[in-house]
Amino acid sequence: MLRRIDRIQLAVPDAGAASRGWIDLLGAEPAGEDRIGGLAARRHRLRVGTGWVELLVPDGSGPVADAVAARGAHLYAAGAATPDLAALEVHLEDKGVSPLNEGGQLHLDMGDTGIEGLRVVVSEDEALPAVGGIDFFYEATLLSDDTRGVTRALNALFGLDDRNYTEIVSDVFGYRGTLTLFEKDQLHRLEVIEPTVAGTTMDRYFRKFGQSLYMAFAETSDINLIQERAEAAGAGFTVDRPDDRPAHLPSDQLWLHPKWLGGMMLGLSRPSMAWAWSGNPDRVEAVA
C-alpha cells in the first residue's frame, strides 16, 4: 500500500538554519508553513526533487519537542506516499492502529509502527515536477540488529510484498540487511540494515542511538554540480568516484554530511546507479 518515498521529516530547533543547505546545495524551494497540532510543531515545507522536505520545529510540549531535546536536529520520520490514503487508514484501523491524521497525512509514531526508532509519515501520492538538484528520493534507512524482525513487522503493517525485496551486503561500508522495495522494478524502499564493522560512522551512530533512522538517499542528474556547490560552501561531503573517470563525467555516489542538512546525512546516486545494489545490476547505465 506504499508506492514511493516522497519526503523526509526533520525535527529541528531552527527551520532557517536547517533549510539553508537544502536551498543552497540542492536548490530546494520554500513552499509554505503550517502547524501540526498533534505534534505540537510548526511544519516548514521545502519542495525538492519530486517530493518534499518537511522541517518540524517545536512550538510547545509534545513529541517533536521531546525529540529535539533528546537528540537535537535529526531525521524524525521517513515519508512515504500511498495511492489511496483513506484506504490505508482503514487498513491500519483494521490492525488496531489509529495514527494521527492531520495536515493531509497519517503520522505514525513508534507506538503505531510497533518498531523502535521508526516513525513514518504517509501522504497521498501526487505527481509533481522535479525541483532543484535532485530527481527524487527513493530510500530512508533504519539501523537495526533485528533486520528480519523489522521487515516482518513492515510487511504486516503496510501489506508489503517481500517477493520484491532484495538482500544487501556491503563489505566496503560494513553493513548487511534488507531493501524492502515497495513495488517491483522500482527503487523506492525502506532500507533496514545492521552495521557489521566496528568503528565505522554507521556503527558509532548505532551504538549511540540504537535502533533508529539514520539517513536518506536520492537520485540526481546533477551530482557533480552538487559537489561543486558543497566545495564552494565548505560543506562536508564524501564522494565515490572511480579514479580513472574523466572530470566531466558524473561520480557514482556522493554523501552530504548532516551538519549541512538539518542533522541528516543525505546520500546521492547518479541515475540508475542504485540498481547496482538493488537486485538489478544489469539496469545500471554505463557512464559515457
Side-chain angles (χ1 to χ4, degrees):
M1 302 187 77
L2 302 180
R3 175 167 289 168
R4 64 189 181 100
I5 296 292
D6 72 331
R7 71 195 67 208
I8 52 98
Q9 280 188 337
L10 305 176
V12 300
D14 180 347
S19 65
R20 195 166 300 124
W22 291 97
I23 294 170
D24 293 346
L25 303 182
L26 297 167
E29 298 179 357
E33 64 177 273
D34 56 12
R35 186 175 189 273
I36 305 297
L39 300 179
R42 298 294 301 178
R43 179 175 64 173
H44 300 255
R45 308 179 85 198
L46 302 172
R47 280 277 288 113
V48 63
T50 56
W52 306 82
V53 173
E54 297 183 341
L55 307 172
L56 302 178
V57 180
D59 68 351
S61 299
V64 174
D66 292 343
V68 171
R71 294 184 51 186
H74 65 284
L75 176 55
Y76 181 80
T82 178
D84 191 335
L85 192 66
L88 177 61
E89 186 172 25
V90 170
H91 167 83
L92 293 172
E93 289 176 348
D94 288 344
K95 294 183 172 296
V97 177
S98 298
L100 173 68
N101 185 335
E102 189 175 350
Q105 299 171 317
L106 300 178
H107 302 264
L108 285 77
D109 62 20
M110 287 179 273
D112 297 320
T113 65
I115 300 171
E116 180 67 27
L118 181 64
R119 300 182 187 91
V120 181
V121 55
V122 187
S123 311
E124 191 93 26
D125 197 14
E126 55 182 334
L128 296 171
V131 169
I134 72 172
D135 301 338
F136 56 86
F137 290 113
Y138 63 83
E139 178 181 284
T141 299
L142 181 78
L143 301 183
S144 174
D145 59 5
D146 182 21
T147 58
R148 291 184 179 180
V150 169
T151 54
R152 285 195 299 268
L154 287 170
N155 295 352
L157 183 64
F158 291 116
L160 301 179
D161 185 348
D162 62 10
R163 290 174 296 182
N164 298 332
Y165 294 2
T166 187
E167 299 304 305
I168 184 168
V169 177
S170 174
D171 295 328
V172 174
F173 297 105
Y175 63 81
R176 63 173 174 241
T178 303
L179 304 177
T180 67
L181 281 79
F182 299 158
E183 295 189 350
K184 184 176 175 61
D185 296 326
Q186 299 295 321
L187 286 172
H188 297 275
R189 72 286 189 105
L190 290 171
E191 180 185 51
V192 186
I193 55 174
E194 175 185 7
T196 57
V197 176
T200 63
T201 299
M202 182 186 297
D203 179 66
R204 293 194 301 271
Y205 189 100
F206 186 46
R207 290 178 181 275
K208 183 175 182 178
F209 296 114
Q211 184 166 295
S212 55
L213 286 168
Y214 176 58
M215 65 174 293
F217 238 104
E219 185 170 288
T220 177
S221 302
D222 292 325
I223 196 165
N224 286 5
L225 175 60
I226 293 169
Q227 181 178 339
E228 290 170 7
R229 289 174 177 170
E231 290 173 340
F237 68 89
T238 303
V239 66
D240 173 22
R241 180 183 183 85
D243 292 337
D244 59 351
R245 183 169 293 169
H248 70 282
L249 295 177
S251 299
D252 286 337
Q253 299 181 86
L254 178 74
W255 292 265
L256 296 173
H257 296 178
K259 176 182 176 181
W260 298 90
L261 294 177
M264 185 202 77
M265 180 163 62
L266 178 68
L268 300 164
S269 56
R270 67 174 175 86
S272 80
M273 186 66 205
W275 286 114
W277 58 88
S278 303
N280 285 283
D282 57 307
R283 296 182 63 177
V284 178
E285 299 171 3
V287 173

